[in-house]
Amino acid sequence: MTIESPHLGGHASAALAEADRLMTVCNSCRYCEGLCAVFPAMEMRRAFPDGDLNYLANLCHACGACYVDCQFAPPHEFDVNVPKNFAAVRAESYQAYAWPRALAPLFARNGLAISLIAAACVAIFIAVFVGVHDSAALWGRHTGAGAFYKLMPHNAMVVLFGVAFIYAIVATLLSVRNFWRDIGAPTAGRHQPRRVWQAIKDASTLRYLDGGGVGCYAEDERPTDNRRLYHHFTFYGFLLCFAATSVATVYHYLLGLAAPYAWYDLPVVLGTIGGLGLLVGPAGLLHAKLVHDPALEDKSRLGMDVAFLAMLFLTSLTGLMLLFLRASPAMGILLAVHLGVVFALFITMPYGKFMHGLYRFAALVRYAQERHLP
Ligand code: SF4
Ligand code: SF4
């Protein structure tokens, strides 16, 4: 998957060569072995090829504890800064494993790419809505069952978003498969379900984002649990929004009930709670990122991080605005904007920060395998 360079000690990039140097130092020191999963996994190795370094980097949750605790951190001449280097390695790994390869360059200037794609999608939806409908229909009030479908037929929505969603699923799975193969994970054995379950528990609680038990280090040396809290708002908000869409599909096809639904109907309740989580979580993570100690950050990837958080926030914001203003004349334009943002979110998922959750989960499965957990 990666092309090794003789000028970088056989590694594919300067970040990977530096990761090899750091892991060699840490493997001699081992002071941080109780902080997270990275160090026990490191101790199982004597050499660090690129696949293993990508695995270790995706196990890291960037809590900063090993940097704060390290006696070899700058200004020491060993210049050990694991979280910063691993952030760069992780970001490179998203590009290295992307499927198809032709779209991997989208990771290079990711913030700009996602912004342009999102703007184009919203503009196209608005242009089509304006072009297809006369102003009376576009700015009119549409209420009752099937109101949305007077502006975009249900079948057209299903086909368009179904194709985008299936593409996103295929591209993300094939990217994760590339990662899985390169980190040397064994094929599934009889303990695999238990190992996957262990990884689900570790990922759903963000077990290794706790800085070894004290919390995550942000702008100073006082650790807090804020990053874990906002990750939870984001992750569970996303899951609830997905559940809302799934329940709405059942309502439509099995119960014959067309959207929009009343505020007390399950899709709306799930979507509203999930949407609030997707406002609070990304906003909190964005704030945490801006105040995060710059010594721990790979600032060159800030655009990718901000673009993904902004996409989640805008998806939720436009969805909630559509919910609260759906009986007003603004419904038509709000529907176009919301659909444009959601469509852009779907098609850019395999080429943005969304992938960090999947690679991290795969790394946790690998960790449970090689450590024979539970
Ligand atoms: S980060 Fe520093 S203290 Fe921790 S294991 Fe590595 S060298 Fe040792
Ligand atoms: S930053 Fe945190 S999660 Fe990453 S290696 Fe250091 S202690 Fe482990």
Side-chain angles (χ1 to χ4, degrees), residues 28-365:
S28 304
C29 167
R30 300 193 172 186
Y31 179 76
C32 296
E33 63 185 359
L35 290 180
C36 67
V38 168
F39 296 96
M42 171 199 75
E43 290 175 10
M44 299 180 76
R45 291 161 168 79
R46 294 293 172 269
F48 300 98
D50 285 354
D52 283 11
L53 291 168
N54 284 327
Y55 159 57
L56 295 174
N58 278 283
L59 268 185
C60 170
H61 287 56
C63 74
C66 62
Y67 177 78
V68 174
D69 288 356
C70 184
Q71 61 270 41
F72 304 121
H76 192 281
E77 60 184 327
F78 283 7
D79 194 25
V80 172
N81 187 340
V82 176
K84 183 172 185 175
N85 169 256
F86 273 6
V89 172
R90 271 196 306 279
E92 287 181 0
S93 73
Y94 309 150
Q95 184 163 356
Y97 299 118
W99 184 94
R101 296 293 311 140
L103 295 181
L106 285 173
F107 281 101
R109 299 186 68 188
N110 193 254
L112 179 64
I114 301 276
S115 305
L116 291 176
I117 291 170
C121 289
V122 170
I124 290 170
F125 269 91
I126 291 176
V128 171
F129 270 45
V130 170
V132 167
H133 302 290
D134 59 37
S135 59
L138 187 63
W139 297 105
R141 292 177 192 272
H142 304 280
T143 56
F148 295 149
Y149 311 133
K150 291 172 185 159
L151 292 160
M152 183 170 181
H154 181 260
N155 288 345
M157 262 193 215
V158 169
V159 170
L160 192 62
F161 284 85
V163 169
F165 185 65
I166 289 169
Y167 174 79
I169 296 285
V170 170
T172 52
L173 288 180
L174 290 177
S175 301
V176 172
R177 182 202 60 172
N178 292 340
F179 174 69
W180 186 252
R181 286 179 174 171
D182 205 37
I183 65 175
T187 51
R190 67 188 173 92
H191 296 300
Q192 188 75 338
R194 280 166 48 202
R195 306 281 143 75
V196 171
W197 176 239
Q198 180 65 41
I200 289 173
K201 287 191 290 184
D202 292 344
S204 60
T205 57
L206 288 174
R207 177 176 171 186
Y208 298 110
L209 190 55
D210 69 349
V214 293
C216 187
Y217 291 84
E219 71 269 34
D220 52 33
E221 295 194 359
R222 284 170 300 170
T224 73
D225 250 344
N226 289 348
R227 269 187 77 225
R228 181 150 67 166
L229 178 69
Y230 292 131
H231 267 93
H232 280 151
F233 269 116
T234 305
F235 178 66
Y236 292 108
F238 186 85
L239 280 191
L240 285 173
C241 289
F242 186 74
T245 307
S246 303
V247 173
T249 304
V250 171
Y251 271 37
H252 188 93
Y253 286 109
L254 294 186
L255 305 181
L257 300 171
Y261 303 111
W263 65 267
Y264 48 80
D265 277 329
L266 192 54
V268 178
V269 172
L270 291 173
T272 304
I273 298 172
L276 291 173
L278 271 186
L279 286 182
V280 174
L285 286 173
L286 188 57
H287 176 260
K289 186 150 284 296
L290 294 177
V291 300
H292 206 210
D293 185 344
L296 306 177
E297 288 275 338
D298 175 26
K299 288 290 181 191
S300 66
R301 315 293 170 163
L302 189 63
M304 174 163 64
D305 299 345
V306 172
F308 180 56
L309 293 172
M311 288 300 293
L312 290 176
F313 187 87
L314 286 175
T315 299
S316 176
L317 181 68
T318 56
L320 290 173
M321 286 177 70
L322 183 60
L323 172 65
F324 292 116
L325 297 174
R326 61 189 177 178
S328 79
M331 189 269 267
I333 287 298
L334 280 175
L335 181 63
V337 172
H338 181 60
L339 292 178
V341 172
V342 174
F343 190 79
L345 179 71
F346 278 4
I347 61 173
T348 58
M349 266 183 182
Y351 312 109
K353 190 66 188 286
F354 176 78
M355 295 306 293
H356 87 290
L358 299 179
Y359 289 138
R360 189 154 283 155
F361 177 71
L364 286 168
V365 175

